[in-house]
Amino acid sequence: MDKQKEVYREEAYELLAELEISLLELEETPDDAEQIGRVFGHCTRSRDQGRCPDLMILQNLLTT
Amino acid sequence: MSGFDDIAEFTHDIETIFDLVRGGEIAVTKELVNLSLSARDQIKVMLDASECGKPADNLKSKGIISAFRELLPYSSETSDLSEESSEEALSDKSKETVVTYRIRFRPTADIFKNGTNPIFLLKKIREFGSCDIIAQTDAVPLLEDFSPEICYTYWDIILSTSEGINAIRDVFIFVEGDCDINIDVIDDEGGLEDSESVYKRLGQILIEHHDLSYDDLMKGLISQKRIGDTLVDEKVVDRGVVESALAEQEHVRQIRKRRYETALASTIRVPAEKLDTLVDMVGELVTLRARNNHHPETAADAGHH
């Protein structure tokens, strides 16, 4: 489980770096729908990432 | 919990805002971008904290979330907040544990002389929850021997409440020297016995076996004296004490029945095949999520709708 958490943590750091770049670009082009969609996508992924380890735990619980 | 739930919750609010931005309901402003960058920093802090096993600064997270919620249209904000508060209320409610106490409140004979009215104390106790109070009046003398300055009565109280024993004791705090108080727990939520869980009675079994007719059983029951009546007739106990014991029996039976019914309503049996299906579905969900991560924009649309 700790290894899984570590993987998710690494993914999350990468995601945050991408989010920062997208936000800075959005500041330059506030009407860019594609850029807004990208920021939204990062938020969704970040939220899913936070919740997903629980799914793994649930799966382990149900199968053991 | 995995330790990432706080991040998921935190990000959910930012996601909601950007969903509204996508829908054209909120404009991208410098304030929104700065706030989002602060949120990004806070998520990093939360991630770092989860690595060290230390909690992140919750106040800062709450401050950022509040600032985001101020950007929400009025209706969305209030519905989010009310949802939160009702969840809190529900969780507080579920934490309450109802315990049933038997309280014997026996004032000294001269309790009236210092101006105490025991009825007020009983009324206060009644406010705590479901309550049966039985006055024990067997010591009340005939009128010629009666003195209005003497308290001849004592009370048995059966109380089911989520208030603790200290709250009950507090009611009697000013009369502690003028009465005997015994408080016993007679039922708590530890057990989940069905009120009807006592196995069939003898008469019921004999009728089911066709060894006895219903009429014969009734005749036998009518001629049979109840233990309470027998004890009172033999002057072993007073009638009031028997009534108190019967009230206690009935009170606890009702409380257990209610608890059993509540437990039944909140528990379900699930066939093993359905659980297997659930395991498969969760597995699919994990796989899909991993696949979707490689296509964020498509995943965002699919995930949100």
Side-chain angles (χ1 to χ4, degrees):
Chain A
M1 202 62 230
D2 283 346
K3 199 175 176 187
Q4 268 169 4
K5 281 188 179 180
E6 195 48 48
V7 171
Y8 280 115
R9 206 174 276 121
E10 278 172 23
E11 281 184 17
Y13 281 125
E14 285 171 20
L15 195 56
L16 286 178
E18 289 172 25
L19 176 64
E20 186 177 6
I21 294 168
S22 298
L23 283 170
L24 292 173
E25 283 175 5
L26 185 64
E27 196 175 13
E28 299 298 316
T29 53
D31 298 324
D32 185 345
E34 200 177 312
Q35 201 63 258
I36 293 170
R38 206 164 291 145
V39 172
F40 177 73
H42 291 323
C43 293
T44 307
R45 279 175 64 196
S46 179
R47 187 206 56 191
D48 287 349
Q49 223 155 18
R51 284 182 181 163
C52 210
D54 283 341
L55 282 178
M56 301 296 285
I57 290 169
L58 177 61
Q59 193 184 26
N60 285 339
L61 276 175
L62 289 169
T63 49
T64 50
Chain B
M1 291 289 159
S2 63
F4 293 97
D5 291 328
D6 50 350
I7 296 175
E9 284 301 314
F10 184 73
T11 320
H12 176 69
D13 282 299
I14 314 167
E15 186 193 0
T16 308
I17 287 285
F18 275 94
D19 191 33
L20 294 171
V21 173
R22 281 201 320 169
E25 291 179 54
I26 295 177
V28 177
T29 59
K30 197 167 173 57
E31 185 196 357
L32 176 67
V33 173
N34 286 341
L35 202 53
S36 304
L37 286 168
S38 306
R40 176 244 169 242
D41 292 343
Q42 182 62 10
I43 294 170
K44 190 171 178 304
V45 169
M46 288 160 99
L47 273 171
D48 292 343
S50 75
E51 201 165 4
C52 311
K54 289 178 190 168
D57 183 359
N58 216 13
L59 278 178
K60 193 166 184 192
S61 303
K62 281 183 179 170
I64 294 172
I65 287 173
S66 304
F68 268 117
R69 286 186 179 177
E70 277 172 27
L71 299 175
L72 285 169
Y74 180 70
S75 56
S76 309
E77 184 189 6
T78 48
S79 80
D80 270 13
L81 290 176
S82 62
E83 192 179 309
E84 203 170 77
S85 57
S86 67
E87 274 174 17
E88 275 172 19
L90 203 66
S91 109
D92 283 350
K93 189 88 182 163
S94 67
K95 280 179 199 162
E96 287 180 358
T97 305
V98 175
V99 177
T100 303
Y101 300 91
R102 182 204 299 119
I103 305 160
R104 177 158 285 184
F105 169 44
R106 190 192 284 267
T108 55
D110 57 356
I111 192 167
F112 296 145
K113 289 179 184 170
N114 62 21
T116 303
N117 184 348
I119 301 300
F120 292 144
L121 303 176
L122 297 173
K123 279 184 178 168
K124 185 72 191 165
I125 285 287
R126 201 180 273 285
E127 287 170 11
F128 283 178
S130 169
C131 184
D132 286 317
I133 300 175
I134 302 100
Q136 302 292 355
T137 55
D138 293 298
V140 177
L142 295 174
L143 199 55
E144 56 263 31
D145 300 322
F146 186 87
S147 165
E149 293 182 349
I150 292 177
C151 179
Y152 298 100
T153 311
Y154 67 94
W155 289 268
D156 285 327
I157 305 157
I158 318 295
L159 171 69
S160 296
T161 179
S162 54
E163 302 283 342
I165 195 163
N166 288 335
I168 299 170
R169 287 196 187 282
D170 283 350
V171 173
F172 300 102
I173 200 162
F174 294 114
V175 293
E176 268 177 347
D178 297 311
C179 66
D180 285 333
I181 292 282
N182 288 314
I183 305 175
D184 298 311
V185 175
I186 54 173
D187 187 60
D188 59 25
E189 296 203 333
L192 202 65
E193 298 88 352
D194 174 7
S195 61
E196 310 296 340
S197 63
V198 177
Y199 191 62
K200 295 166 187 171
R201 292 167 194 276
L202 177 65
Q204 199 179 351
I205 296 170
L206 290 171
I207 287 177
E208 281 180 11
H209 289 188
H210 303 292
D211 293 328
L212 179 74
S213 73
Y214 180 77
D215 290 342
D216 287 340
L217 173 67
M218 291 314 289
K219 275 182 206 163
L221 285 175
I222 289 165
S223 62
Q224 181 193 28
K225 259 193 170 178
R226 294 189 170 196
I227 183 69
D229 293 333
T230 308
L231 293 172
V232 170
D233 288 350
E234 291 180 8
K235 297 193 182 345
V236 179
V237 291
D238 294 327
R239 168 74 58 192
V241 178
V242 173
E243 280 173 13
S244 163
L246 289 172
E248 175 181 324
Q249 198 179 45
E250 179 61 17
H251 186 101
V252 173
R253 199 181 70 83
Q254 291 297 334
I255 291 288
R256 286 187 175 174
K257 188 179 176 188
R258 229 174 291 152
R259 190 189 308 148
Y260 182 74
E261 285 169 357
T262 310
L264 269 188
S266 59
T267 313
I268 55 164
R269 288 183 182 202
V270 181
E273 304 89 71
K274 286 196 176 175
L275 273 181
D276 288 343
T277 313
L278 180 63
V279 172
D280 291 345
M281 286 167 76
V282 171
E284 285 288 324
L285 204 53
V286 173
T287 314
L288 272 175
R289 181 259 166 197
R291 197 181 298 159
N292 283 343
N293 270 355
H294 294 291
H295 309 283
E297 286 78 21
T298 325
D301 285 337
H304 207 77
H305 300 293

